[in-house]
Amino acid sequence: MTDIQRVVEEIAEEMRARPDRGEVATYIPELARVDVRQFGLAVIDTEGNVAAAGDCDVPFSIQSVSKVFTLTLALGKAGDRLWKKVGREPSGSAFNSIVQLEYEKGIPRNPFINAGAIAVTDTILSGHQPREALGEIVRFMRFLADDQNVHIDEAVAASEQRTGFRNAALANYMKAYGVLENPVDFTLGVYFHHCAIAMNCRQLAMAGRFLAQRGKHPVTGLSVVPPERARRINAVMLTCGHYDGSGEFAYRVGLPGKSGVGGGILAIAPGKASIAVWAPGLDAAGNSHLGRIALEALTRRLGWSIFGA
Amino acid sequence: MTDIQRVVEEIAEEMRARPDRGEVATYIPELARVDVRQFGLAVIDTEGNVAAAGDCDVPFSIQSVSKVFTLTLALGKAGDRLWKKVGREPSGSAFNSIVQLEYEKGIPRNPFINAGAIAVTDTILSGHQPREALGEIVRFMRFLADDQNVHIDEAVAASEQRTGFRNAALANYMKAYGVLENPVDFTLGVYFHHCAIAMNCRQLAMAGRFLAQRGKHPVTGLSVVPPERARRINAVMLTCGHYDGSGEFAYRVGLPGKSGVGGGILAIAPGKASIAVWAPGLDAAGNSHLGRIALEALTRRLGWSIFGA
Amino acid sequence: MTDIQRVVEEIAEEMRARPDRGEVATYIPELARVDVRQFGLAVIDTEGNVAAAGDCDVPFSIQSVSKVFTLTLALGKAGDRLWKKVGREPSGSAFNSIVQLEYEKGIPRNPFINAGAIAVTDTILSGHQPREALGEIVRFMRFLADDQNVHIDEAVAASEQRTGFRNAALANYMKAYGVLENPVDFTLGVYFHHCAIAMNCRQLAMAGRFLAQRGKHPVTGLSVVPPERARRINAVMLTCGHYDGSGEFAYRVGLPGKSGVGGGILAIAPGKASIAVWAPGLDAAGNSHLGRIALEALTRRLGWSIFGA
Amino acid sequence: MTDIQRVVEEIAEEMRARPDRGEVATYIPELARVDVRQFGLAVIDTEGNVAAAGDCDVPFSIQSVSKVFTLTLALGKAGDRLWKKVGREPSGSAFNSIVQLEYEKGIPRNPFINAGAIAVTDTILSGHQPREALGEIVRFMRFLADDQNVHIDEAVAASEQRTGFRNAALANYMKAYGVLENPVDFTLGVYFHHCAIAMNCRQLAMAGRFLAQRGKHPVTGLSVVPPERARRINAVMLTCGHYDGSGEFAYRVGLPGKSGVGGGILAIAPGKASIAVWAPGLDAAGNSHLGRIALEALTRRLGWSIFGA
C-alpha cells in the first residue's frame, strides 16, 4: 500500500467517525434527499496511480465544480477574448450576489461565481442550439474522465430550472448590459444542465488530472490546454474557487480548488495529483464541510500545499 | 554565472529598455521625486545564493510591503486571536476602501488592505508606547534582513502623517467599533512610520527569505515562525497581497507577493527563493508596473509558478 | 382669462422658446421617434376649471406616471398589507437599481422605483390572468380621467417586453425572495403594458385630480380613496417620485410629483389643483427637462409650493 | 382656550399615559441619564400665539435639530456655493453611514446626515477659530429663539468629543477628498458643541418660527432668510430630516421636520406654525418614538399636513 493510499484511507476513516457533518443543500428536493453520512475521496497522481476510499464510486451532482470544465472549454473557443466578458478577481461576495454586477456594468468578477459561469456558458453556446452546446460539454467531461458513464441528472436540472430565479436575475441583468449574446433561456438552460452533471469521485479526479500535469490528457497524453493555461486556470481556482470562502480555503488547504453545492470539491496539487472529495453536508458558506477538512488533512500529511512544505 | 543570475540580468536589461514605466505615486513629495527610470531586482535562494541586478542597492520606501512583516510580528504576539480583529479573505476592493468596514462592523477583510494593516499595528502596539512598538518593528526587520542599516525615513513618515486623512478615517471607524484598543493617534503614528521603512532589494529579499524556507531564519537557522504559519502567510499574500489586483497577480505571476506604493514587491517562491523587485512607476491599481512584468518573466523563465511548471 | 390660464400660457410660450430641450429616451424606437420640440401643460383646479396650453391634446406614453395609479389600485385591494412587500422610503438610487434589493432581501424601497412598481403590479394581478388585471387598470384610468379614449400603445408595450432585461432581472430577483406571487412573465407582462398607456396632458391632469381633492372623484364626487390615503400617496410622491432626483424636485418645485421616461410629469397641489406637463426631452436623471423647469415656474408664480408661500 | 391649546393638552395627556416610550440614547452618559417619562410640546403659530403642555420648559440636548440652524447660517454665508460641498437628496442610509461618501467622492448626500452637517459646520468655520464660529452659532440661536438663555451643555459636548470616533471617521474621509477646508479637529469641535446646545420646547419652536412665516423673524419682522430659501430649507427637512426614516415621517406626519437623538423634533407647518416636541425615548431608527406619534396626532387633528387636508 502506498503512502497516499494509506493517508486516503485514514482520512476516510476519520471523516466517517466525525459527528459534525454540515447540512445538505435544501433548495431542491434532489439534493435534500442525499444521505449526509456519505464520504468519498479519490486521489490520482500524475502517473495514474489511484488512491480512493469511502463512497468514491457513488455518483453525486457536481454542481459548480462543472465551472472548471466550462471555463476550460470556453477558453478553448474564445481564448483571451473571454476575459472581456468576465474578470478574474475574487469578488469578496457570495456566489449569487448581484451587487457587484451593478457597480461593474454587468461584467462578473470571475468565472466561478454564478454570474461569471453563466457568461462562460453563453460563450460556449455562442449561436448554437442548447442541445448541441450541452452535448459538447458532456462529451468533453467524458473525454477528460475517460468514461462514457458521465451523464446529466435530468431531475436535478429540471428542479433547478423551476426554482432558479436568482440565476435568472443574474442572466437577465447581464443581458441588459449586452454581456450575454444568446437568448437568456438558452443560456440558462445549458447552465442548469451542466450543473446537474453526475459523477463519482474517481471520475471527477480523473477529469481534473490535466490541470495537475501541464494540461496533458491523462490517457492520450495529448494537450488538452497549453501548460500556461493550466497554470492560469489553477490560479483562478485558488483565488476564486470558493466564493467568499476562497481566502479561507487557500489558508487552510493550500491548493487550487473548486467546490459545488452538491458537496463535491475538486482540488489540484500541481505536478503531483488531482483530488476529488465528496461529503454532501455543507458549511455556512455553502462549501462541503468535511470535504474541506479532509483536504486540509491530506495536504498537511502529504506536504502538498503550494505555499511550502 | 548561474541560470538565475543570467535570468535576473536579462530581465533587468529588458526592463531598463522599456518605455512604459508607469507613474510614481504623487500624494507625498518624497515619493513623487523618485526617478521613475530606476529598476532593481534581487533573488536569494534557500541556500543563500544571491542574484541581483540593476538598482538593487538603492533604498526605497517599502510602504505596504511592511505589512507582511507586521502580520508576522502580530501573529507571534497574539496567535490566532489576531483573526478576531481581521479576516483573511480578499476584499474585492481598493486598498483604502471603507465600504466593506461598514458592512462588516469594523472588521477589515484581511491584513493587507490598509484597514487590516492598521488593526495589525494596533495589536503590536497593544498598550505600549508608539516608540517602543516602532523600535520592535525595526529591530525585527533588521534581524530578518541581517542588516543594521534598515531604517525609517522620517521625512516620508512625517508627510504621510500630515496627509493620511483616509487612513485616519479607517482607524477612527474601527475605533468606533472597538476593533482598535489603543489611542487612534498612537496606532496611526506607528503605522505611518513602519510604512516609511527604507530598504533596498537585497535587504528586502533577505528579510522575506524565512517565508521561502519553512519559517527558518536565513542566517541563524532558528525558527522565525513554524512551517505552517509560513505557509499560511504565503497563502494570505497570494489571495490578498495586491488589493483588487490580487487575482491578476496570481494569474500572471503565480507567486505569493505583496506590493507597496513605493514601487517595491516582495514575492516568495516556496522552497525555492525570496524575490524583491523595485520599479517606482505604478499601474492603475497602484502596484509597480514593471515590477509585476519582471516577476511574470522571472517565474515563466525559471518555471517557479506555484500553479505548475 | 384667469390668472392660472395666463400663467399656463406664459410658461408654454417660454418653454417653446428655449433651446435646451434635453434628450428623448432612446431605448425603444417608439420613444426615440417622438418630436422633442413638443410641450404640453394642463392644470385642473379642484373646481374643475381647466387651464391648458401647447401640445396639451397630444397623447404620449405615460410610462412611470402610471405607477401612481397602480399604487392607488393596489392599496385599494390589499390595504396596508401592501407595505409588507414594498417600503416607502426614498432609495437614494437610480430607478432601476438592484443593489438595494440584495441588501434588503428582495423588498423594494418604495412603489415608485421599478422594482417597487413591479411588486405593486404583482399585487394587482394576484392570481388573475394578465388580461383581466390589465383590463382593470385601464378601466380605472378611464374612470379617473373620465374619458374612454385612454388606451395602451401596443407597439410600445411590445418593444419594452422585448428589451426589458433589467426589469426581468428585478422581477426574478424578487421572485427568488418570494416577494412576487405570480409567474414572473405574467407580472412583467402587465407591468410593461400599464407603462405603455397613452394619455394627453388634459387626461392625465384629470386622472390625478382625486389626489388634490381629498380623494374624491372629480365628476361623481364619490370617494376614490379616503382623504388620509390621498395625503399618504402624495407624501410618497414627494419623497420618492423622481428616483434619485426626488430631493431636487422637492427643493425646486415643492409639489408631490411623478415623472415618466416618456417626458410626462403629474404634480399635485393639494387642495388646489392637479397638473400634467409633457416635454419629451429628458435630463441626465431621466426626468423631463422642461417639464421640471415649467413646474418650478408655475409653483413660484402661483405660490403653490407646499413648503410655504 | 383655543383649539390648538386644547389639542396640545389632549396629546400631552395621551402621551403621558402611554406605556411604550422607546429607549433613551445610551452612547453618552449625559443622554442615558435623562428620565424617559418626560414629554413636552410647544406650538407657536405665525401670529405668536403659544400653545404648550407637559415638560415644555425643561431644557434638553437638541443634538441634530441644530443642523437646521447651521444649514441656515451656512447658506447665509456661502449661498448656493454650499451645494458644491453637500447634496440635497435623501441618502437612503443611516445617519452615520460612510458608504455613500466613498461612492460619491466625499460629497455627503444632504446637510442633515452627520457627514453633511459636518461639511456645513466647516463652511461656517471657514478660517475662523472654533470659538468664534461657535459663538456665532449660539448668538444666532439666541436671536431666533429671542432668548439669551440658550446655551451649550459642556458636559455633553465633552462626552461626544471623547466618543465621536465615527464622526471623526466621516470628517477625515471628507478631508481626504478636500471637502473640508479647516483642520479636522476644529470642524469636529464646533460640530460636537453645536449638537450639545440645550433648549426647551418653547425656545425651539420659537427658533424655528421663521421657517413657517416666509423667513421672517418672529419679533423683529426682519428677514432671516428670503421666502424662497425658507421654502427650500423646509423641502430638505421633508425629504432628508429623519435619515432613512424620512419617508415614514412624511407618510405619517406630513410636515417638514428634523429630529435629534436627544428626543427632540422640530416640525414646520408652513404658513401656520412652528412645533417643537420632546420625548427622550427613541425608536429603532433613532428618532423620538412618542415625538413622532404626537406630531402625527397633531397634524391629523388640526388638518395641517402639507399633503392635503
Side-chain angles (χ1 to χ4, degrees), chain A residues 114-166:
Chain A
N114 288 13
I118 292 168
V120 163
T121 300
D122 189 72
T123 297
I124 295 173
L125 189 50
S126 185
H128 296 95
Q129 289 299 308
R131 183 176 302 269
E132 297 171 69
L134 208 49
E136 184 176 4
I137 294 170
V138 172
R139 279 193 304 276
F140 185 58
M141 297 301 293
R142 288 175 176 167
F143 162 69
L144 291 177
D146 193 39
D147 191 330
Q148 294 303 308
N149 289 320
V150 172
H151 66 283
I152 290 168
D153 184 327
E154 291 290 344
V156 171
S159 271
E160 305 225 41
Q161 200 132 19
R162 236 179 356 258
T163 62
F165 298 112
R166 197 145 168 177

Side-chain angles (χ1 to χ4, degrees), chain D residues 12-300:
Chain D
E13 202 54 49
E14 290 163 19
M15 295 302 122
R16 220 179 322 255
R18 288 181 74 119
D20 56 321
R21 307 201 76 83
E23 302 287 334
V24 294
T26 55
Y27 71 102
I28 62 170
E30 287 75 11
L31 297 182
R33 272 197 300 270
V34 173
D35 182 352
V36 75
R37 290 166 305 179
Q38 295 173 95
F39 177 87
L41 177 58
V43 178
I44 311 188
D45 71 16
T46 54
E47 301 186 349
N49 302 305
V50 179
D55 304 302
C56 58
D57 293 307
V58 180
F60 59 90
S61 190
I62 69 168
Q63 294 289 323
S64 293
V65 183
S66 62
K67 295 171 182 175
V68 175
F69 303 100
T70 51
L71 172 63
T72 305
L73 256 187
L75 282 170
K77 282 174 176 281
D80 281 347
R81 274 185 298 117
L82 179 69
W83 301 118
K84 292 185 181 163
K85 282 179 144 190
V86 56
R88 49 197 187 224
E89 286 298 330
S91 70
S93 316
F95 64 97
N96 57 5
S97 174
I98 203 163
V99 167
Q100 174 264 327
L101 280 190
E102 177 153 323
Y103 290 132
E104 298 176 12
K105 309 201 166 194
I107 304 291
R109 268 291 173 96
N110 66 63
F112 291 154
I113 51 175
N114 288 14
I118 292 169
V120 163
T121 300
D122 189 72
T123 297
I124 295 173
L125 189 49
S126 185
H128 295 96
Q129 288 301 306
R131 184 175 301 271
E132 297 171 69
L134 208 49
E136 184 176 5
I137 295 170
V138 172
R139 280 194 303 277
F140 186 58
M141 296 301 294
R142 288 174 176 167
F143 162 71
L144 291 177
D146 193 39
D147 190 329
Q148 294 303 307
N149 290 321
V150 172
H151 67 283
I152 289 169
D153 184 328
E154 290 290 344
V156 170
S159 271
E160 305 225 41
Q161 199 133 20
R162 233 177 1 255
T163 62
F165 299 112
R166 198 147 168 173
N167 286 319
L170 294 168
N172 276 287
Y173 203 86
M174 290 188 285
K175 185 75 177 175
Y177 276 102
V179 172
L180 300 192
E181 290 165 30
N182 302 281
V184 167
D185 285 350
F186 281 24
T187 300
L188 279 176
V190 177
Y191 174 76
F192 288 133
H193 278 80
H194 76 62
C195 285
I197 288 174
M199 296 174 83
N200 62 36
C201 287
R202 279 181 202 274
Q203 291 168 325
L204 186 57
M206 190 70 173
R209 231 179 102 187
F210 73 102
L211 290 171
Q213 50 194 39
R214 299 171 53 81
K216 288 210 160 29
H217 189 275
V219 179
T220 66
L222 295 176
S223 170
V224 179
V225 297
E228 179 171 70
R229 181 165 293 164
R231 286 199 298 274
R232 289 179 160 186
I233 293 172
N234 287 338
V236 180
M237 286 173 78
L238 193 289
T239 53
C240 313
H242 283 71
Y243 317 116
D244 50 349
S246 297
E248 191 65 14
F249 191 84
Y251 181 87
R252 293 197 173 280
V253 175
L255 293 181
K258 182 75 205 80
S259 70
V261 78
I265 305 177
L266 172 68
I268 304 298
K272 301 196 175 74
S274 171
I275 307 156
V277 64
W278 173 54
L282 308 180
D283 61 22
N287 298 313
S288 174
H289 175 65
L290 291 185
R292 203 260 293 150
I293 291 171
L295 287 171
E296 188 176 352
L298 188 86
T299 49
R300 188 184 295 118

Side-chain angles (χ1 to χ4, degrees), chain C residues 133-193:
Chain C
L134 207 49
E136 184 176 6
I137 295 170
V138 172
R139 280 192 304 277
F140 185 58
M141 297 301 294
R142 287 175 176 165
F143 163 69
L144 291 177
D146 193 39
D147 190 330
Q148 294 303 308
N149 289 320
V150 172
H151 67 282
I152 289 169
D153 184 328
E154 290 289 346
V156 170
S159 272
E160 306 226 41
Q161 199 134 19
R162 236 179 354 257
T163 62
F165 298 112
R166 196 145 167 175
N167 286 318
L170 295 167
N172 275 287
Y173 203 87
M174 290 188 286
K175 184 75 178 176
Y177 276 103
V179 172
L180 300 193
E181 291 163 32
N182 302 280
V184 168
D185 285 349
F186 280 24
T187 300
L188 280 176
V190 176
Y191 175 75
F192 288 133
H193 277 80

Side-chain angles (χ1 to χ4, degrees), chain A residues 191-242:
Chain A
Y191 175 76
F192 288 133
H193 277 80
H194 77 61
C195 285
I197 288 175
M199 295 172 85
N200 62 37
C201 286
R202 279 180 202 274
Q203 291 168 326
L204 186 57
M206 190 71 174
R209 231 178 102 187
F210 73 102
L211 290 171
Q213 49 194 42
R214 301 171 52 80
K216 286 209 164 28
H217 189 276
V219 178
T220 66
L222 296 176
S223 169
V224 178
V225 298
E228 180 170 71
R229 182 165 294 162
R231 285 198 300 273
R232 291 178 159 187
I233 292 172
N234 287 338
V236 180
M237 285 173 78
L238 193 289
T239 53
C240 312
H242 285 72

Side-chain angles (χ1 to χ4, degrees), chain A residues 97-98 102 166 169 172-173 177, chain C residues 97-98 102 166 169 173 177:
Chain A
S97 173
I98 204 163
E102 178 153 322
R166 197 145 168 177
N172 276 286
Y173 203 86
Y177 276 103
Chain C
S97 174
I98 203 163
E102 179 155 323
R166 196 145 167 175
Y173 203 87
Y177 276 103

Side-chain angles (χ1 to χ4, degrees), chain B residues 86 153 210 252:
Chain B
V86 56
D153 184 328
F210 74 103
R252 292 197 174 279

